[in-house]
Amino acid sequence: MDAQENPVSDAAALPDLEPATRRIAALLGQVDDSRLDGPTPCPDYAVRELLGHLTGLATAFRDAARKDLGASTAVSPDAALPVLDDDWREVLPRRLEEVAAAWRSPDAWTGMTRAGGVELPGEVAGAVALNELVVHGWDLARSTGQPYAAGEAELRSCEALLAPAEDGPDGSPEDGPDGDSLFGPPVPVPSDAPLLDRVIALSGRRPDWQPDS
């Protein structure tokens, strides 16, 4: 195949993480300290842990894109509850800019890399990074009472990543290498539900979730 026909070698054809990172950055201005202990759609996270997780994942996937495989890419996000540092209002927007910039490089989408302690191809890591930003951006918006919308290309990428795999030979679903999905079990929604709602449902969240629900 000619290099010009390879979408991974064509920067214009690569998924763009910047819209997702910009949406999250725009949400941060409405997150005052009084909201930090509020609930989120992630059962184990208050808003402060969600923000800490966003900071950690932006750092990890930035380094995964750069193939800088150090401590930030070695630890599972489930190892401990995220800690939100006092300087998060300065650090998180910068990390979001950095992760978007790192995945604009065609080299980020090639070869092998690591994130969350898992070795995976660069193109898969990029899709996972985009999914994390889109879904957790929705989490933050919903937790803080703000509107949220995502582009169709982003949502289609998330849908493809989150959709249950074909059943295995024994009839059981094979969602991942160990039979696990990226998030919780999908939540049923009507087939004609908006694409964003379908993606959120595939991630194991109720699209109608509210802080007081």
Side-chain angles (χ1 to χ4, degrees):
M1 177 182 290
D2 189 280
Q4 292 183 342
E5 298 175 351
N6 184 350
V8 173
S9 67
D10 181 358
L14 295 174
D16 186 3
L17 275 62
E18 185 171 358
T21 60
R22 283 186 175 274
R23 281 195 304 272
I24 294 171
L27 295 170
L28 298 179
Q30 299 300 314
V31 183
D32 58 37
D33 289 350
S34 67
R35 293 186 180 272
L36 293 180
D37 292 320
T40 76
C42 309
D44 296 331
Y45 288 178
V47 171
R48 69 172 65 251
E49 281 83 32
L50 177 58
L51 292 166
H53 180 62
L54 280 165
T55 305
L57 77 86
T59 304
F61 281 102
R62 175 202 65 187
D63 294 344
R66 296 172 177 174
K67 309 298 195 294
D68 183 9
L69 307 184
S72 66
T73 67
V75 179
S76 167
D78 298 328
L81 278 177
V83 175
L84 185 65
D85 293 330
D86 292 341
D87 59 355
W88 69 269
R89 293 187 186 278
E90 293 76 37
V91 172
L92 180 50
R94 185 165 67 247
R95 290 288 183 271
L96 291 168
E97 291 178 357
E98 290 169 352
V99 71
W103 285 101
R104 280 197 289 271
S105 168
D107 291 342
W109 299 85
T110 63
M112 294 296 292
T113 190
R114 183 179 68 201
V118 178
E119 304 283 338
L120 68 174
E123 60 186 314
V124 176
V128 172
L130 177 58
N131 180 75
E132 290 277 333
L133 292 165
V134 169
V135 173
H136 288 310
W138 180 89
D139 289 334
L140 182 60
R142 190 53 61 95
S143 302
T144 56
Q146 300 184 68
Y148 188 82
E152 182 173 355
E154 298 169 85
L155 293 173
R156 293 294 181 193
S157 175
C158 296
E159 183 180 42
L161 187 73
L162 293 170
E166 295 295 325
D167 289 349
D170 62 353
S172 61
E174 294 183 336
D175 294 325
D178 299 312
D180 296 325
S181 63
L182 287 171
F183 292 98
V187 173
V189 293
S191 60
D192 61 350
L195 180 55
L196 176 59
D197 286 1
R198 300 202 304 271
V199 166
I200 294 304
L202 283 171
S203 76
R205 293 150 168 79
R206 285 176 29 225
D208 64 348
W209 186 93
Q210 297 291 339
D212 56 357
S213 61

